[in-house]
């Protein structure tokens, strides 16, 4: 192959390539199913240098951005075994013949059918999406186990609290949580979205870009206060748990000790807290009853964990001063907790989801009206100032998580209601602090909050965002939160108001397809279809070289060629050369 720096007549190469493609006959009979299976078996039995053999079904995947109108769209059902290292990556062929060493060094190493540029999703190796592509499920049950307390909580919340308690609950900022929970959770629907969450970016990676649950979403769905302080807890021991229960819940020393021992850790049982609430309400011990009630309330909603029956005892410290607990940013607390559990559940090894699943499911209902089943309690026009989550009710879905994956793969920007709460502004005015870019903190948990990655949800054109924040290096989170204004200016200063709801800047999708994985499952072989795919390098500017590039791309697609296959190495090298002109 000639050096690309040498002058070459592209018209001559164009004719040569046309002749090669015309004379090439693909005889599929030569690769029978038995031979393919045998090759796979042989490959699977080889173990050397920590190399795994992973069966990869090739199909219509994200490798090019556009198809020429005159290209033949041919998709074959071909399966082969590709080698990948112990780190999960398939090495990308270096351009060592006729290409510059700098070009070879710049060639990124990516994951098969995942991110091409791995600098963003650094934990993709352990992400569930990587395993799903190869048909590897978390376990016999594909959906997650989800902590939903809706039915039980609705039975525990009284129709009306005594006036003495109602005043404290209302001032706390948490009163709305008494009525927002769904009775049941669609675990398949929730699980399908969790598989698209990435903790590095605090966002869902959809086929058309990133989306996330924002502070504005929390404010509208749950009517929780967004502004306020973060909570920095003190360490608690079982001895302190006992003291807290005696001092602030009004139980005896022996009762508190017995209960804490039964929880085997720094927890209180939700059922125990409910019993304390009922007891003190009957005894008119309003402060004790209110603390037990509020702790049970947050433990069943925004602080729900994967134990399904317990709440951390240290959260009782939040309610020592019933007149002062309104100063917390409860909306940020809900978001931090959910982000944390979404990050955990996006990993292949995790099988449970904590946090407040009603927040996630109602968010899906608002933004994706065509996905999943949903029951409506009222229309937005008939709302009388209620939290938007109360608009929805549970309806049993018929689609399983593996049915929903290809549905989500096929979503387009037109399937999204990008600003669903504009008709809710009479009750929740948009607060600019929701555009704060920085870290959110609750307890020891710190997560990145990155609205610049989902600007379309705020009515702005989406640009290529800055790299995510490293929250491990954050030192002045509380100061950054209080002085949020400059970060808001930075976020929207690089954008402009969108002229269409899903508007993005030029180059955004090409960048996104390089760093993310727009699809979770291979396309169905019985229904071949074209998929928008990215171009990772600039196309040729010369018309003749462009024709050469087109012909080579067409042929490589027709035979489902992989760049790692030595059989096609020369053609891929020619393709790279043609694109450099």
């Amino acid at each position: 192959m000639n050096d690309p720096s040498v002058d070459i007549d592209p018209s001559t190469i164009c004719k040569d390539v046309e002749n090669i493609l015309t004379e090439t006959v693909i005889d599929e009979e030569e690769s029978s199913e038995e031979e393919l299976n045998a090759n796979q078996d042989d490959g699977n039995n080889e173990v050397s240098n920590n190399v795994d053999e992973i069966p990869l079904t090739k199909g219509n995947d994200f490798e090019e951005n556009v198809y020429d109108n005159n290209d033949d769209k041919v998709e074959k059902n071909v399966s082969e075994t590709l080698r990948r290292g112990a780190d999960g990556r398939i090495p990308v062929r270096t351009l060592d013949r006729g290409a510059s060493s700098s070009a070879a060094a710049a060639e990124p190493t990516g994951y098969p059918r995942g991110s091409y540029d791995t600098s963003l999703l650094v934990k993709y190796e352990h992400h569930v999406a990587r395993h799903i592509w190869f048909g590897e499920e978390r376990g016999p049950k594909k959906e997650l186990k989800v902590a939903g307390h809706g039915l039980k909580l609705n039975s525990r919340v009284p129709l009306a609290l005594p006036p003495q308690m109602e005043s404290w609950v209302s001032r706390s900022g948490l009163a709305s949580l008494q009525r927002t929970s769904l009775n049941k959770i669609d675990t398949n629907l929730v699980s399908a979205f969790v598989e698209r969450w990435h903790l590095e970016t605090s966002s869902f990676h959809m086929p058309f870009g990133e989306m996330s649950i924002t502070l504005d979403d929390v404010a509208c769905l749950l009517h929780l206060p967004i502004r306020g302080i973060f909570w920095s807890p003190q360490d608690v021991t079982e001895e302190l748990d006992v003291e807290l229960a005696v001092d602030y819940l009004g139980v005896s020393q022996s009762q508190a000790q017995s209960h804490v021992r039964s929880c085997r850790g720094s927890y209180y049982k939700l059922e125990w807290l409910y019993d304390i609430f009922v007891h003190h309400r009957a005894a008119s011990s309003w402060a004790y009853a209110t603390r037990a009630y509020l702790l049970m309330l947050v433990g069943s909603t925004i602080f729900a964990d994967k134990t399904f029956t317990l709440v951390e005892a240290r959260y009782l410290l939040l309610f020592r001063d019933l007149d002062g607990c309104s100063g917390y940013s409860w909306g940020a607390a809900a978001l931090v907790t959910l982000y944390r559990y979404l990050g955990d559940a996006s990993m292949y090894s995790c099988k449970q989801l904590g946090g407040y699943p009603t927040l996630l499911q109602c968010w899906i209902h608002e933004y994706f009206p065509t996905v999943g089943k949903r029951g409506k309690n009222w229309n937005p026009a008939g709302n009388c100032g209620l939290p938007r989550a109360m608009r929805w009710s549970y309806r049993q879905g018929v689609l399983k998580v593996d049915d929903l994956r290809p549905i989500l793969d096929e979503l387009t920007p037109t399937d999204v209601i990008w600003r669903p709460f504009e008709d809710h502004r009479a009750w929740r005015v948009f607060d600019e602090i929701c555009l704060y870019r920085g870290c959110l903190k609750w307890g020891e948990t710190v997560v990145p909050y990155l609205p610049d990655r989902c600007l379309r949800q705020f009515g702005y054109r989406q640009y290529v965002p800055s790299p995510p924040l490293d929250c491990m290096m954050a030192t002045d989170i509380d100061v950054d939160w209080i002085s949020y204004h400059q970060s808001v200016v930075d976020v929207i200063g690089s954008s402009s108001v969108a002229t269409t709801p899903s508007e993005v800047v030029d180059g955004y999708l090409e960048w996104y397809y390089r760093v993310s994985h727009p699809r979770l499952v291979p396309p169905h072989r019985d229904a071949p279809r074209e998929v928008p795919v990215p171009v990772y390098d600039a196309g040729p500017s010369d018309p003749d070289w462009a024709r050469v590039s087109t012909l080579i791309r067409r042929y490589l697609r027709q035979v489902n060629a992989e760049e790692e296959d030595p059989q096609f190495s020369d053609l891929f090298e020619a393709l790279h050369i043609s694109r450099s002109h």
Side-chain angles (χ1 to χ4, degrees):
M1 188 68 68
N2 292 329
D3 192 317
S5 62
V6 180
D7 291 335
I8 304 174
D9 184 1
S11 60
T12 303
I13 293 183
C14 187
K15 292 178 182 178
D16 293 341
V17 173
E18 285 183 312
N19 291 335
I20 292 173
L21 299 183
T22 303
E23 295 171 1
T24 300
V25 178
I26 304 174
D27 186 4
E28 299 186 28
E29 297 299 328
E30 294 178 357
S31 297
S32 64
E33 182 176 355
E34 292 76 15
E35 291 174 323
L36 286 172
N37 291 335
N39 290 337
Q40 289 179 343
D41 291 338
D42 291 340
N44 287 332
N45 291 329
E46 279 188 62
V47 179
S48 61
N49 298 324
N50 292 326
V51 174
D52 298 333
E53 297 293 349
I54 300 296
L56 173 61
T57 302
K58 297 188 293 183
N60 196 0
D61 303 313
F62 289 78
E63 296 170 5
E64 309 262 18
N65 190 32
V66 293
Y67 290 101
D68 297 299
N69 292 332
N70 60 344
D71 282 358
D72 296 329
K73 279 79 171 182
V74 180
E75 185 181 54
K76 290 176 19 179
N77 185 10
V78 180
S79 179
E80 72 175 9
T81 299
L82 295 182
R83 290 174 177 266
R84 62 179 174 85
D87 63 354
R89 299 179 179 181
I90 291 183
V92 176
R93 182 183 58 86
T94 55
L95 305 178
D96 56 346
R97 295 194 304 278
S100 65
S101 59
S102 60
E107 186 91 6
T109 301
Y111 287 98
R113 303 304 175 258
S115 47
Y116 185 80
D117 178 348
T118 60
S119 62
L120 179 63
L121 304 181
V122 295
K123 297 184 182 297
Y124 185 74
E125 178 183 354
H126 307 290
H127 198 276
V128 66
R130 173 175 164 267
H131 293 264
I132 288 171
W133 183 271
F134 294 112
E136 301 170 353
E137 299 290 348
R138 300 177 193 261
K141 292 190 68 174
K142 300 177 183 179
E143 71 274 16
L144 294 163
K145 185 177 181 182
V146 181
H149 297 277
L151 272 177
K152 191 165 289 187
L153 181 62
N154 290 337
S155 69
R156 290 172 174 170
V157 171
L159 293 176
L161 290 169
Q164 297 88 341
M165 290 184 62
E166 180 64 39
S167 176
W168 274 321
V169 172
S170 297
R171 292 203 306 270
S172 72
L174 297 167
S176 59
L177 293 178
Q178 298 174 98
R179 309 291 180 192
T180 52
S181 296
L182 295 170
N183 285 339
K184 291 184 180 180
I185 299 298
D186 187 340
T187 56
N188 287 284
L189 177 64
V190 166
S191 298
F193 274 83
V194 172
E195 291 170 353
R196 293 180 172 272
W197 181 265
H198 284 274
L199 57 84
E200 299 95 329
T201 59
S202 293
S203 62
F204 300 100
H205 285 230
M206 307 305 293
F208 42 77
E210 294 176 54
M211 296 183 68
S212 191
I213 306 173
T214 69
L215 288 169
D216 184 52
D217 296 328
V218 176
C220 293
L221 286 167
L222 303 181
H223 282 197
L224 292 178
I226 300 301
R227 292 178 180 264
I229 62 174
F230 299 146
W231 178 58
S232 300
Q234 67 185 72
D235 293 332
V236 294
T237 62
E238 290 191 12
E239 291 76 14
L240 182 56
D241 297 340
V242 172
E243 292 180 20
L244 291 174
V246 172
D247 294 341
Y248 299 111
L249 294 178
V251 299
S252 66
Q253 182 85 11
S254 59
Q255 184 184 3
Q257 288 176 338
S258 174
H259 181 77
V260 170
R261 280 198 299 267
S262 71
C263 293
R264 298 182 180 180
S266 295
Y267 297 95
Y268 301 137
K269 292 180 181 178
L270 296 173
E271 184 177 5
W272 185 66
L273 293 171
Y274 175 69
D275 291 339
I276 293 174
F277 154 66
V278 172
H279 171 76
H280 286 308
R281 181 180 59 174
S284 299
S285 300
W286 305 122
Y288 292 147
T290 302
R291 292 191 189 100
Y293 182 76
L294 287 174
L295 186 55
M296 178 202 68
L297 184 62
V298 295
S300 302
T301 54
I302 58 175
F303 296 152
D305 64 16
K306 292 189 285 188
T307 64
F308 302 105
T309 59
L310 307 175
V311 62
E312 291 186 53
R314 62 179 181 165
Y315 288 140
L316 182 54
L317 294 168
L318 293 164
F319 306 114
R320 285 184 298 184
D321 180 8
L322 289 172
D323 293 314
C325 61
S326 60
Y328 293 114
S329 173
W330 294 114
L335 208 56
V336 169
T337 306
L338 184 58
Y339 276 15
R340 168 197 165 192
Y341 283 116
L342 284 171
D344 292 344
S346 67
M347 297 293 109
Y348 177 69
S349 59
C350 184
K351 296 178 174 61
Q352 291 178 290
L353 174 67
Y356 194 23
T358 287
L359 173 58
L360 173 54
Q361 183 165 329
C362 290
W363 180 88
I364 296 170
H365 290 335
E366 291 284 356
Y367 281 91
F368 300 91
T370 63
V371 180
K373 278 199 170 185
R374 55 186 190 169
K376 287 185 181 180
N377 295 324
W378 37 262
N379 291 320
N383 183 14
C384 299
L386 299 174
R388 190 64 168 258
M390 293 179 65
R391 176 187 180 190
W392 307 109
S393 59
Y394 170 79
R395 287 187 63 189
Q396 184 173 357
V398 296
L399 298 178
K400 300 299 183 182
V401 63
D402 46 356
D403 299 318
L404 288 162
R405 288 168 185 160
I407 292 175
L408 297 188
D409 277 350
E410 296 301 323
L411 289 177
T412 68
T414 58
D415 295 313
V416 179
I417 299 176
W418 288 98
R419 302 183 73 189
F421 303 116
E422 291 310 292
D423 54 6
H424 198 69
R425 295 306 175 191
W427 297 279
R428 278 297 180 272
V429 177
F430 179 77
D431 190 335
E432 67 177 5
I433 202 172
C434 297
L435 284 164
Y436 156 82
R437 183 183 189 272
C439 295
L440 299 178
K441 179 180 71 171
W442 193 257
E444 298 92 354
T445 304
V446 181
V447 298
Y449 178 73
L450 307 172
D452 58 330
R453 311 192 76 88
C454 55
L455 284 171
R456 289 174 286 185
Q457 293 174 233
F458 297 98
Y460 291 93
R461 296 171 70 216
Q462 180 62 59
Y463 53 75
V464 176
S466 302
L469 299 171
D470 183 0
C471 289
M472 297 294 292
M473 304 298 293
T475 56
D476 299 316
I477 299 174
D478 298 280
V479 175
D480 294 340
W481 175 247
I482 295 171
S483 55
Y484 70 89
H485 183 73
Q486 184 55 50
S487 72
V488 173
V489 173
D490 294 339
V491 166
I492 63 177
S494 302
S495 185
S496 60
V497 176
T499 56
T500 60
S502 59
E503 186 178 6
V504 299
V505 301
D506 292 340
Y508 169 76
L509 288 176
E510 287 79 8
W511 164 84
Y512 176 69
Y513 290 140
R514 185 171 70 246
V515 299
S516 185
H517 56 94
R519 302 189 71 100
L520 249 68
V521 294
H524 294 298
R525 295 301 184 266
D526 56 350
R529 54 192 178 277
E530 299 302 331
V531 179
V533 286
V535 172
Y536 300 129
D537 50 358
S541 56
D542 184 275
D544 287 331
W545 282 113
R547 178 63 178 160
V548 172
S549 178
T550 297
L551 290 169
I552 296 174
R553 282 204 322 273
R554 181 194 302 173
Y555 172 72
L556 292 173
R557 252 196 329 271
Q558 287 176 349
V559 297
N560 289 308
E562 292 286 347
E563 190 163 359
E564 296 81 10
D565 191 336
Q567 179 181 352
F568 301 106
S569 59
D570 288 341
L571 280 175
F572 275 105
E573 184 173 349
L575 179 62
H576 285 290
I577 293 173
S578 69
R579 286 173 166 175
S580 67
H581 287 268

